[in-house]
Amino acid sequence: MSPSPSGFPPIASITIFPKPNHDDWHADEELSPLAGYGRLAFDVFVTENWDDAAPRDQDREQWERLVRKYFALGQRGREPYNRMSEAAQAQTRGPGYGFDERELPKMPAQAQIDRILLPYQTIQERNVCAKNGRVTPSVVIWLRICYLPELEQAYHDMAAMAEVGGNEQTTVYVVDDNHIFDNKELYDFGCEWTRILSRVPELGSGYGICWPKDEDEWTIWDERMEERQADGDLTLEPFPKTPDQWPRNVIYVVDEESLREGLVKIKWLNQFGECVWENKAGPASMHSMLGAMLDGCISDYVEGAEKGGILL
């Protein structure tokens, strides 16, 4: 199954940055060695498939087409690129990290970096991509896409209540600083949250959220949901039960509707970058669900939701 065309923004709407210096947007963040140019799975894919002979004024359209193609591959189709990325990252980590030298990717030339890789992603976006591969846990990001002055205070109140932000090693945050995408120049998407997919192409990777593993667990899940629906507690959207549709990553979306309702939108993405399940949650409930989001199971998520006042 390939991503729906509606899952991606029109090509003309993608923000392009011709200058390689993105320090203004995340001044305190440096490029992780693991996110070095040529070491990400998408780096390998996009440089391998890039048409150097195409006119440069069509680079934006070419990037977008290749992002779509990459998502459409699914996890299995991306396997060769993930293996090369893992070998390159293991080499970067140094002695003690084994890798097959035959799987090391060809590093891009500086001209390829300047034309293909630098203009379309910030350092922050690349660092997030480096954390999400074939054998890594799911990534959770916080994406603010509404910057109306009248809702500025509402946003800060919501972020504080949801306990997002922070980077102290001894504190568990719903989303740490490096996973907060909050910049008007970059992410003023209106209601088109899917535009983030073109900037973070690894949002279809990761081994995913832990769902019920057998028929018995699914039966318990279904019965529980039917009871809650009968009690009027929730309206349940169709839930994906096939493995290829299971969510890999989660995006907390804050748009205008979110701020006016006082609810965070939760988008669950599968390996193709499609939103296969979505919810809204009160910001105060976010922390109670953190464990389930990262390494728990769906029943833990629902239990946390019941305690925190989530709307499914």
Side-chain angles (χ1 to χ4, degrees), residues 116-211:
I116 304 171
L117 303 179
L118 274 172
Y120 304 98
Q121 289 184 297
T122 65
I123 288 175
Q124 180 193 15
E125 291 161 350
R126 290 189 60 84
N127 286 346
V128 169
C129 283
K131 298 176 183 178
N132 205 24
R134 178 174 60 103
V135 294
T136 52
S138 303
V139 161
V140 178
I141 66 171
W142 173 278
L143 176 62
R144 178 189 181 185
I145 59 175
C146 174
Y147 297 88
L148 293 174
E150 66 196 78
L151 295 174
E152 185 71 17
Q153 188 59 50
Y155 170 75
H156 291 293
D157 291 345
M158 175 177 283
M161 191 177 299
E163 298 184 60
V164 298
N167 52 23
E168 296 177 21
Q169 296 298 315
T170 57
T171 304
V172 177
Y173 294 93
V174 171
V175 181
D176 66 30
D177 281 344
N178 295 331
H179 285 207
I180 295 175
F181 289 67
D182 174 10
N183 186 286
K184 187 178 189 301
E185 187 171 355
L186 286 169
Y187 309 118
D188 191 4
F189 295 159
C191 60
E192 295 181 296
W193 66 269
T194 54
R195 289 169 63 178
I196 194 63
L197 300 179
S198 294
R199 302 198 60 83
V200 190
E202 299 298 349
L203 283 175
S205 300
Y207 57 63
I209 310 298
C210 182
W211 304 109

XYZ file of all heavy atoms in Angstrom, residues 116-211:
774
model
N 21.516 18.874 -2.828
C 20.436 17.945 -2.498
C 20.069 17.958 -1.013
O 18.892 18.010 -0.652
C 20.822 16.516 -2.919
C 21.172 16.462 -4.409
C 19.692 15.539 -2.610
C 21.768 15.126 -4.850
N 21.064 17.904 -0.142
C 20.792 17.649 1.273
C 20.672 18.896 2.133
O 19.874 18.926 3.073
C 21.880 16.731 1.847
C 22.046 15.375 1.135
C 23.162 14.577 1.795
C 20.738 14.589 1.139
N 21.449 19.915 1.857
C 21.429 21.104 2.712
C 20.152 21.941 2.629
O 19.666 22.425 3.658
C 22.634 21.998 2.393
C 23.935 21.658 3.123
C 25.065 22.495 2.563
C 23.785 21.892 4.610
N 19.571 22.145 1.435
C 18.481 23.125 1.341
C 17.160 22.726 1.983
O 16.337 23.589 2.253
C 18.287 23.279 -0.178
C 19.533 22.751 -0.795
C 19.983 21.674 0.105
N 16.933 21.440 2.241
C 15.575 20.992 2.541
C 15.350 20.537 3.974
O 14.240 20.173 4.338
C 15.192 19.854 1.577
C 15.319 20.263 0.139
C 16.445 19.941 -0.600
C 14.326 21.021 -0.470
C 16.580 20.342 -1.913
C 14.454 21.437 -1.790
C 15.581 21.093 -2.501
O 15.709 21.501 -3.800
N 16.409 20.517 4.794
C 16.253 20.092 6.178
C 17.118 20.945 7.094
O 18.229 21.345 6.723
C 16.676 18.630 6.355
C 15.721 17.616 5.740
C 16.167 16.203 6.056
O 17.245 15.778 5.641
N 15.350 15.473 6.797
N 16.614 21.205 8.284
C 17.403 21.873 9.304
C 18.231 20.832 10.056
O 18.012 19.625 9.940
C 16.512 22.612 10.302
O 15.733 21.649 11.023
C 15.597 23.606 9.613
N 19.148 21.308 10.872
C 19.942 20.416 11.722
C 19.021 19.628 12.648
O 19.182 18.415 12.832
C 20.969 21.227 12.529
C 22.078 21.729 11.600
C 21.556 20.404 13.668
C 23.074 22.649 12.270
N 18.058 20.297 13.237
C 17.124 19.623 14.138
C 16.395 18.487 13.428
O 16.263 17.376 13.966
C 16.102 20.612 14.701
C 15.107 19.953 15.653
C 13.918 20.833 15.968
O 13.674 21.821 15.283
N 13.174 20.490 16.995
N 15.911 18.743 12.241
C 15.171 17.729 11.494
C 16.051 16.532 11.162
O 15.609 15.377 11.241
C 14.580 18.349 10.228
C 13.472 19.338 10.513
C 13.181 20.294 9.369
O 13.974 20.319 8.385
O 12.196 21.028 9.450
N 17.292 16.794 10.799
C 18.217 15.688 10.507
C 18.514 14.887 11.773
O 18.577 13.654 11.727
C 19.522 16.220 9.902
C 19.364 16.760 8.496
C 20.731 17.057 7.870
N 21.555 15.863 7.793
C 21.479 14.967 6.807
N 20.605 15.121 5.832
N 22.278 13.911 6.809
N 18.693 15.548 12.884
C 18.975 14.835 14.124
C 17.818 13.930 14.522
O 18.027 12.823 15.033
C 19.289 15.825 15.242
C 20.665 16.445 15.100
O 21.501 15.973 14.323
N 20.913 17.514 15.838
N 16.600 14.391 14.319
C 15.436 13.548 14.610
C 15.417 12.342 13.672
O 15.131 11.216 14.090
C 14.131 14.355 14.499
C 12.911 13.433 14.522
C 14.037 15.368 15.634
N 15.725 12.564 12.401
C 15.781 11.452 11.442
C 16.804 10.405 11.875
O 16.589 9.201 11.702
C 16.122 11.963 10.050
S 14.749 12.761 9.181
N 17.919 10.855 12.441
C 18.976 9.930 12.842
C 18.543 9.028 13.986
O 19.107 7.947 14.188
C 20.231 10.704 13.240
N 17.544 9.456 14.736
C 17.064 8.669 15.869
C 16.042 7.621 15.448
O 15.600 6.821 16.274
C 16.426 9.586 16.916
C 17.384 10.597 17.518
C 16.646 11.509 18.470
C 17.566 12.594 19.034
N 16.840 13.523 19.922
N 15.630 7.631 14.203
C 14.530 6.778 13.783
C 14.958 5.902 12.614
O 15.031 6.339 11.482
C 13.324 7.632 13.357
C 12.036 6.870 13.505
O 11.948 5.939 14.297
N 11.033 7.251 12.753
N 15.265 4.653 12.905
C 15.677 3.723 11.870
C 14.970 2.399 11.990
O 13.999 2.251 12.733
N 15.487 1.410 11.303
C 14.842 0.104 11.235
C 14.709 -0.562 12.600
O 13.728 -1.253 12.876
C 15.667 -0.791 10.297
C 15.176 -2.201 10.131
C 16.005 -2.891 9.075
N 17.415 -2.939 9.438
C 18.034 -4.028 9.910
N 17.361 -5.150 10.048
N 19.317 -4.001 10.205
N 15.702 -0.375 13.466
C 15.708 -1.086 14.743
C 15.648 -0.127 15.924
O 16.052 -0.453 17.030
C 16.968 -1.982 14.857
C 16.913 -3.083 13.827
C 18.243 -1.160 14.700
N 15.132 1.068 15.700
C 15.028 2.050 16.779
C 13.567 2.230 17.184
O 12.655 1.974 16.406
C 15.596 3.411 16.347
O 14.976 3.796 15.110
C 17.096 3.319 16.144
N 13.332 2.681 18.432
C 11.959 2.881 18.887
C 11.258 3.984 18.111
O 11.866 4.714 17.335
C 12.136 3.285 20.359
C 13.512 2.865 20.717
C 14.319 2.963 19.468
N 9.981 4.106 18.379
C 9.187 5.134 17.731
C 9.637 6.520 18.170
O 10.119 6.713 19.279
C 7.718 4.951 18.090
O 7.278 3.671 17.721
N 9.470 7.468 17.263
C 9.783 8.861 17.555
C 8.487 9.621 17.815
O 7.486 9.418 17.134
C 10.548 9.497 16.371
C 10.485 11.014 16.433
C 11.999 9.041 16.388
N 8.506 10.461 18.832
C 7.368 11.322 19.143
C 7.824 12.765 18.977
O 8.825 13.179 19.569
C 6.862 11.092 20.583
C 5.711 12.035 20.896
C 6.428 9.641 20.781
N 7.112 13.540 18.154
C 7.457 14.952 17.990
C 6.237 15.815 18.292
O 5.087 15.371 18.181
C 7.991 15.265 16.572
C 6.901 15.068 15.510
C 9.214 14.435 16.263
C 7.323 15.566 14.134
N 6.508 17.047 18.667
C 5.488 18.057 18.953
C 5.578 19.082 17.841
O 6.621 19.690 17.632
C 5.778 18.678 20.318
C 4.929 19.846 20.720
C 5.087 21.148 20.351
C 3.804 19.820 21.622
N 4.137 21.945 20.961
C 3.332 21.159 21.741
C 3.159 18.810 22.337
C 2.251 21.492 22.551
C 2.078 19.151 23.138
C 1.633 20.472 23.241
N 4.486 19.264 17.097
C 4.496 20.136 15.923
C 3.469 21.257 16.087
O 2.265 21.013 16.080
C 4.168 19.316 14.664
C 4.041 20.086 13.350
C 5.360 20.765 12.979
C 3.571 19.155 12.232
N 3.973 22.470 16.231
C 3.095 23.634 16.298
C 2.958 24.226 14.901
O 3.937 24.593 14.273
C 3.678 24.685 17.244
C 2.832 25.950 17.332
C 3.550 27.045 18.107
N 2.731 28.237 18.220
C 3.141 29.381 18.765
N 4.368 29.480 19.249
N 2.334 30.426 18.839
N 1.703 24.336 14.416
C 1.495 24.865 13.063
C 0.559 26.071 13.044
O 0.172 26.534 11.974
C 0.961 23.772 12.114
C -0.370 23.197 12.612
C 1.993 22.671 11.938
C -0.982 22.200 11.629
N 0.222 26.601 14.223
C -0.600 27.815 14.308
C 0.169 28.882 15.063
O 0.639 28.648 16.182
C -1.922 27.525 15.010
S -2.930 29.008 15.298
N 0.276 30.069 14.477
C 1.045 31.158 15.073
C 0.239 32.452 15.114
O 0.804 33.540 15.051
C 2.356 31.350 14.309
C 3.251 30.141 14.399
C 3.133 29.093 13.481
C 4.195 30.022 15.413
C 3.943 27.965 13.571
C 5.008 28.898 15.510
C 4.870 27.874 14.587
O 5.664 26.756 14.684
N -1.083 32.339 15.255
C -1.919 33.522 15.350
C -1.601 34.274 16.637
O -1.577 33.669 17.721
C -3.398 33.128 15.332
C -3.930 32.537 14.020
C -5.372 32.065 14.208
C -3.847 33.562 12.900
N -1.359 35.576 16.561
C -1.015 36.339 17.772
C -2.054 36.208 18.875
O -1.702 36.147 20.058
C -0.925 37.780 17.247
C -0.579 37.647 15.804
C -1.307 36.407 15.334
N -3.311 36.133 18.495
C -4.377 36.059 19.506
C -4.362 34.744 20.292
O -4.964 34.639 21.364
C -5.743 36.205 18.834
C -6.094 35.050 17.910
C -7.231 35.361 16.968
O -6.986 36.060 15.968
O -8.346 34.913 17.251
N -3.669 33.718 19.756
C -3.620 32.409 20.413
C -2.241 32.096 20.979
O -1.976 30.976 21.388
C -4.035 31.316 19.418
C -5.485 31.385 18.939
C -5.742 30.343 17.854
C -6.454 31.190 20.104
N -1.375 33.111 21.020
C -0.010 32.900 21.501
C -0.005 32.433 22.955
O 0.684 31.471 23.309
C 0.796 34.193 21.358
C 2.263 34.056 21.712
C 3.054 33.252 20.689
O 2.554 33.073 19.548
O 4.158 32.796 21.037
N -0.772 33.105 23.807
C -0.793 32.715 25.215
C -1.436 31.349 25.394
O -0.998 30.544 26.236
C -1.547 33.761 26.046
C -1.457 33.521 27.555
C -0.018 33.513 28.057
O 0.746 34.422 27.755
N 0.361 32.487 28.807
N -2.466 31.073 24.605
C -3.114 29.755 24.673
C -2.122 28.650 24.355
O -2.136 27.580 24.979
C -4.298 29.700 23.713
N -1.243 28.912 23.391
C -0.238 27.903 23.045
C 0.723 27.672 24.207
O 1.010 26.526 24.566
C 0.559 28.315 21.811
C 1.741 27.393 21.596
C 1.561 26.116 21.084
C 3.028 27.791 21.980
C 2.628 25.245 20.938
C 4.098 26.921 21.835
C 3.901 25.657 21.312
O 4.956 24.797 21.192
N 1.238 28.738 24.785
C 2.200 28.577 25.871
C 1.564 27.905 27.089
O 2.212 27.097 27.766
C 2.805 29.934 26.248
C 3.707 30.480 25.187
N 4.901 29.891 24.845
C 3.577 31.564 24.365
C 5.483 30.574 23.873
N 4.702 31.594 23.561
N 0.299 28.206 27.342
C -0.401 27.537 28.437
C -0.538 26.044 28.163
O -0.340 25.214 29.057
C -1.793 28.160 28.634
C -1.730 29.581 29.172
O -0.649 29.985 29.668
O -2.753 30.298 29.083
N -0.879 25.707 26.921
C -1.039 24.303 26.556
C 0.287 23.555 26.663
O 0.346 22.449 27.207
C -1.585 24.185 25.131
C -1.666 22.751 24.617
S -2.382 22.630 22.957
C -4.123 22.835 23.354
N 1.362 24.151 26.157
C 2.673 23.498 26.205
C 3.127 23.282 27.648
O 3.695 22.233 27.983
C 3.698 24.325 25.438
N 2.863 24.259 28.510
C 3.243 24.125 29.910
C 2.434 23.031 30.595
O 2.972 22.218 31.358
C 3.046 25.456 30.632
N 1.145 22.980 30.317
C 0.282 21.975 30.918
C 0.644 20.565 30.435
O 0.561 19.593 31.175
C -1.192 22.273 30.596
C -2.185 21.435 31.394
S -3.898 21.898 31.028
C -3.882 23.615 31.569
N 1.072 20.468 29.173
C 1.441 19.168 28.615
C 2.846 18.739 29.031
O 3.269 17.620 28.738
C 1.348 19.213 27.094
N 3.589 19.628 29.678
C 4.953 19.344 30.137
C 5.878 19.000 28.982
O 6.648 18.036 29.026
C 4.958 18.216 31.165
C 4.187 18.545 32.433
C 4.290 17.446 33.471
O 5.423 17.132 33.906
O 3.243 16.900 33.843
N 5.810 19.791 27.922
C 6.750 19.600 26.819
C 7.893 20.586 26.980
O 7.729 21.681 27.507
C 6.074 19.800 25.441
C 4.970 18.786 25.242
C 5.539 21.213 25.278
N 9.052 20.166 26.529
C 10.224 21.029 26.620
C 11.082 20.685 27.809
O 10.606 20.262 28.858
N 12.378 20.808 27.620
C 13.338 20.504 28.660
C 14.321 19.470 28.159
O 14.032 18.714 27.234
N 15.490 19.431 28.764
C 16.495 18.470 28.337
C 17.368 17.974 29.482
O 18.462 17.483 29.268
C 17.388 19.072 27.239
C 17.969 20.417 27.634
O 18.080 20.723 28.820
N 18.332 21.225 26.649
N 16.892 18.092 30.712
C 17.670 17.604 31.846
C 17.667 16.076 31.850
O 16.639 15.446 31.636
C 17.071 18.127 33.165
C 17.125 19.647 33.300
C 16.461 20.117 34.575
O 16.342 19.298 35.500
O 16.064 21.283 34.641
N 18.807 15.496 32.097
C 18.940 14.044 32.038
C 18.107 13.334 33.100
O 17.710 12.197 32.927
C 20.416 13.657 32.201
C 21.309 14.161 31.081
C 20.931 13.581 29.732
O 20.685 12.387 29.609
N 20.862 14.419 28.720
N 17.841 13.992 34.212
C 17.146 13.328 35.317
C 15.644 13.499 35.251
O 14.933 12.974 36.092
C 17.640 13.892 36.658
O 17.431 15.317 36.674
C 19.120 13.599 36.845
N 15.146 14.220 34.272
C 13.716 14.497 34.183
C 13.138 13.874 32.922
O 13.734 13.942 31.864
C 13.459 16.013 34.165
O 14.062 16.594 35.320
C 11.958 16.309 34.186
N 11.958 13.274 33.058
C 11.273 12.699 31.909
C 10.276 13.719 31.376
O 9.378 14.152 32.097
C 10.542 11.397 32.289
C 9.772 10.861 31.089
C 11.532 10.365 32.794
N 10.438 14.103 30.130
C 9.545 15.057 29.511
C 8.689 14.356 28.466
O 9.121 13.385 27.843
C 10.335 16.187 28.837
C 11.094 17.057 29.811
C 12.412 16.790 30.128
C 10.471 18.141 30.418
C 13.108 17.578 31.030
C 11.158 18.941 31.315
C 12.477 18.653 31.620
O 13.153 19.434 32.512
N 7.467 14.848 28.269
C 6.615 14.297 27.235
C 7.309 14.394 25.886
O 7.338 13.451 25.097
C 5.260 15.024 27.213
C 4.435 14.614 25.998
C 4.481 14.725 28.497
N 7.892 15.554 25.615
C 8.714 15.763 24.420
C 9.862 16.666 24.838
O 9.630 17.724 25.420
C 7.915 16.440 23.278
C 8.789 16.613 22.056
C 6.677 15.645 22.924
N 11.104 16.263 24.552
C 12.210 17.126 24.950
C 12.419 18.229 23.914
O 11.800 18.241 22.850
C 13.489 16.321 25.211
C 14.057 15.664 23.963
O 13.866 16.213 22.858
O 14.697 14.610 24.089
N 13.289 19.152 24.230
C 13.499 20.325 23.380
C 13.775 19.964 21.925
O 13.287 20.617 21.003
C 14.671 21.158 23.912
C 14.274 22.027 25.094
O 13.062 22.206 25.302
O 15.165 22.521 25.794
N 14.584 18.936 21.726
C 15.023 18.606 20.379
C 13.925 18.010 19.508
O 14.108 17.861 18.299
C 16.213 17.641 20.445
C 17.427 18.280 21.073
O 17.618 19.487 20.991
N 18.255 17.480 21.724
N 12.805 17.657 20.119
C 11.692 17.098 19.351
C 10.515 18.066 19.263
O 9.425 17.671 18.838
C 11.231 15.774 19.964
C 12.170 14.638 19.687
N 11.757 13.331 19.646
C 13.506 14.609 19.424
C 12.788 12.547 19.370
N 13.863 13.317 19.242
N 10.738 19.304 19.656
C 9.696 20.319 19.544
C 9.914 21.118 18.268
O 10.942 21.777 18.105
C 9.714 21.264 20.759
C 9.355 20.495 22.026
C 8.731 22.414 20.549
C 9.479 21.327 23.290
N 8.962 21.056 17.371
C 9.028 21.791 16.113
C 8.125 23.012 16.246
O 6.914 22.937 16.030
C 8.593 20.895 14.950
C 9.579 19.821 14.617
C 9.832 18.784 15.502
C 10.273 19.843 13.417
C 10.755 17.794 15.207
C 11.191 18.854 13.102
C 11.437 17.824 14.005
N 8.723 24.110 16.625
C 7.973 25.331 16.923
C 8.746 26.518 16.353
O 9.638 27.056 16.998
C 7.795 25.467 18.443
C 7.160 26.793 18.852
O 6.679 27.527 17.960
O 7.147 27.096 20.059
N 8.415 26.881 15.133
C 9.042 28.033 14.507
C 8.144 28.531 13.394
O 7.815 27.787 12.468
C 10.418 27.678 13.947
C 11.152 28.901 13.411
O 10.813 29.405 12.352
N 12.125 29.376 14.162
N 7.736 29.777 13.485
C 6.785 30.326 12.529
C 7.334 30.310 11.106
O 6.600 30.026 10.150
C 6.405 31.756 12.932
C 5.291 32.374 12.084
C 4.941 33.763 12.578
C 3.693 34.290 11.885
N 3.848 34.346 10.406
N 8.609 30.610 10.951
C 9.182 30.672 9.607
C 9.200 29.302 8.934
O 9.092 29.181 7.712
C 10.591 31.251 9.668
C 11.193 31.510 8.291
C 12.493 32.274 8.367
O 12.886 32.678 9.479
O 13.116 32.468 7.308
N 9.312 28.261 9.753
C 9.397 26.907 9.222
C 8.062 26.181 9.139
O 7.794 25.472 8.163
C 10.337 26.071 10.097
C 11.829 26.326 9.996
C 12.551 25.610 11.119
C 12.352 25.887 8.653
N 7.234 26.344 10.161
C 6.105 25.433 10.334
C 4.740 26.115 10.406
O 3.788 25.546 10.956
C 6.313 24.580 11.589
C 7.659 23.904 11.628
C 8.575 24.189 12.644
C 8.026 23.003 10.640
C 9.826 23.580 12.670
C 9.282 22.395 10.656
C 10.168 22.691 11.673
O 11.404 22.089 11.698
N 4.608 27.265 9.826
C 3.307 27.935 9.798
C 2.473 27.313 8.678
O 2.252 27.905 7.626
C 3.510 29.440 9.565
C 2.232 30.232 9.800
O 1.219 29.629 10.205
O 2.259 31.457 9.565
N 1.993 26.086 8.928
C 1.350 25.274 7.900
C -0.165 25.465 7.802
O -0.808 24.825 6.978
C 1.604 23.783 8.166
C 3.039 23.352 8.065
C 3.465 22.184 8.686
C 3.964 24.087 7.338
C 4.777 21.758 8.594
C 5.289 23.673 7.242
C 5.695 22.499 7.878
N -0.748 26.287 8.689
C -2.208 26.375 8.693
C -2.787 25.092 9.245
O -2.570 24.739 10.393
N -3.532 24.362 8.407
C -4.083 23.077 8.846
C -3.373 21.905 8.165
O -3.747 20.746 8.370
C -5.587 23.004 8.580
S -6.032 23.170 6.842
N -2.332 22.189 7.386
C -1.658 21.147 6.604
C -0.480 20.556 7.373
O 0.681 20.725 6.998
C -1.187 21.713 5.264
C -2.301 22.151 4.350
C -1.763 22.690 3.029
O -1.065 23.728 3.049
O -2.018 22.058 2.000
N -0.766 19.821 8.428
C 0.294 19.259 9.249
C 1.146 18.258 8.465
O 2.314 18.030 8.803
C -0.281 18.579 10.486
C -1.119 17.367 10.193
C -2.464 17.344 9.977
C -0.663 16.018 10.068
N -2.886 16.067 9.716
C -1.796 15.227 9.765
C 0.571 15.394 10.165
C -1.728 13.847 9.573
C 0.657 14.016 9.977
C -0.486 13.262 9.685
N 0.603 17.648 7.407
C 1.345 16.644 6.645
C 2.564 17.224 5.930
O 3.411 16.466 5.442
C 0.442 15.957 5.610
O -0.178 16.961 4.780
C -0.645 15.138 6.284
N 2.667 18.536 5.866
C 3.836 19.138 5.219
C 5.132 18.779 5.945
O 6.218 18.847 5.367
C 3.662 20.657 5.133
C 2.596 21.075 4.124
C 2.235 22.545 4.218
N 3.365 23.411 3.912
C 3.285 24.746 3.887
N 2.127 25.338 4.141
N 4.345 25.467 3.601
N 5.037 18.351 7.196
C 6.235 17.962 7.943
C 6.875 16.712 7.338
O 8.071 16.482 7.482
C 5.913 17.736 9.434
C 7.194 17.670 10.269
C 5.075 16.475 9.634
C 8.019 18.927 10.274
N 6.093 15.896 6.634
C 6.621 14.658 6.073
C 7.723 14.916 5.055
O 8.653 14.121 4.913
C 5.497 13.851 5.413
C 4.340 13.425 6.316
C 3.299 12.660 5.513
C 4.841 12.595 7.488
N 7.626 16.023 4.345
C 8.645 16.340 3.353
C 9.928 16.843 3.979
O 10.962 16.905 3.318
C 8.108 17.389 2.369
O 7.052 16.867 1.604
N 9.878 17.194 5.243
C 11.067 17.694 5.927
C 11.691 16.630 6.838
O 12.866 16.724 7.193
C 10.714 18.936 6.749
C 10.102 20.065 5.897
C 10.166 21.383 6.621
N 11.547 21.731 6.925
C 12.378 22.315 6.063
N 11.977 22.619 4.855
N 13.620 22.594 6.420
N 10.899 15.630 7.235
C 11.395 14.554 8.101
C 10.987 13.215 7.476
O 10.047 12.568 7.926
C 10.838 14.681 9.538
C 11.547 13.713 10.482
C 10.995 16.108 10.060
N 11.679 12.789 6.424
C 11.257 11.601 5.683
C 11.377 10.281 6.438
O 10.900 9.260 5.944
C 12.188 11.590 4.451
C 12.905 12.881 4.442
C 12.843 13.435 5.811
N 12.006 10.291 7.609
C 12.120 9.047 8.374
C 10.928 8.822 9.310
O 10.955 7.909 10.136
C 13.422 9.045 9.186
C 14.688 9.124 8.352
C 14.881 7.945 7.404
O 14.146 6.943 7.525
O 15.766 8.038 6.535
N 9.877 9.619 9.179
C 8.720 9.442 10.053
C 7.909 8.191 9.720
O 6.915 7.910 10.378
C 7.820 10.685 9.998
C 8.333 11.881 10.798
C 7.443 13.100 10.592
C 8.424 11.546 12.292
N 8.322 7.436 8.704
C 7.695 6.145 8.435
C 8.524 4.987 8.945
O 8.150 3.832 8.768
N 9.655 5.279 9.586
C 10.567 4.231 10.055
C 10.364 3.977 11.546
O 9.470 4.524 12.172
C 12.017 4.636 9.759
O 12.216 4.813 8.374
N 11.241 3.160 12.114
C 11.087 2.769 13.509
C 10.302 1.480 13.597
O 9.540 1.133 12.697
N 10.487 0.737 14.693
C 9.783 -0.539 14.783
C 8.380 -0.408 15.347
O 7.645 -1.376 15.446
C 10.581 -1.587 15.551
C 11.006 -1.243 16.965
C 10.087 -1.012 17.968
C 12.359 -1.188 17.288
C 10.485 -0.736 19.258
C 12.772 -0.907 18.580
C 11.834 -0.691 19.561
O 12.250 -0.404 20.848
N 7.989 0.791 15.708
C 6.581 1.031 15.951
C 6.091 0.850 17.371
O 6.778 0.360 18.251
N 4.842 1.270 17.542
C 4.155 1.128 18.822
C 3.816 -0.341 19.027
O 3.604 -1.091 18.091
C 2.857 1.957 18.822
C 3.135 3.381 18.353
C 2.202 1.966 20.193
C 4.074 4.169 19.218
N 3.758 -0.780 20.287
C 3.465 -2.181 20.583
C 1.955 -2.392 20.695
O 1.329 -1.959 21.661
C 4.147 -2.585 21.895
S 3.912 -4.307 22.332
N 1.378 -3.039 19.698
C -0.058 -3.298 19.665
C -0.366 -4.695 20.186
O 0.544 -5.510 20.374
C -0.589 -3.143 18.243
C -0.290 -1.804 17.672
C 0.600 -1.513 16.688
C -0.840 -0.555 18.088
N 0.636 -0.165 16.456
C -0.239 0.446 17.303
C -1.788 -0.188 19.039
C -0.560 1.782 17.447
C -2.094 1.147 19.179
C -1.494 2.113 18.395
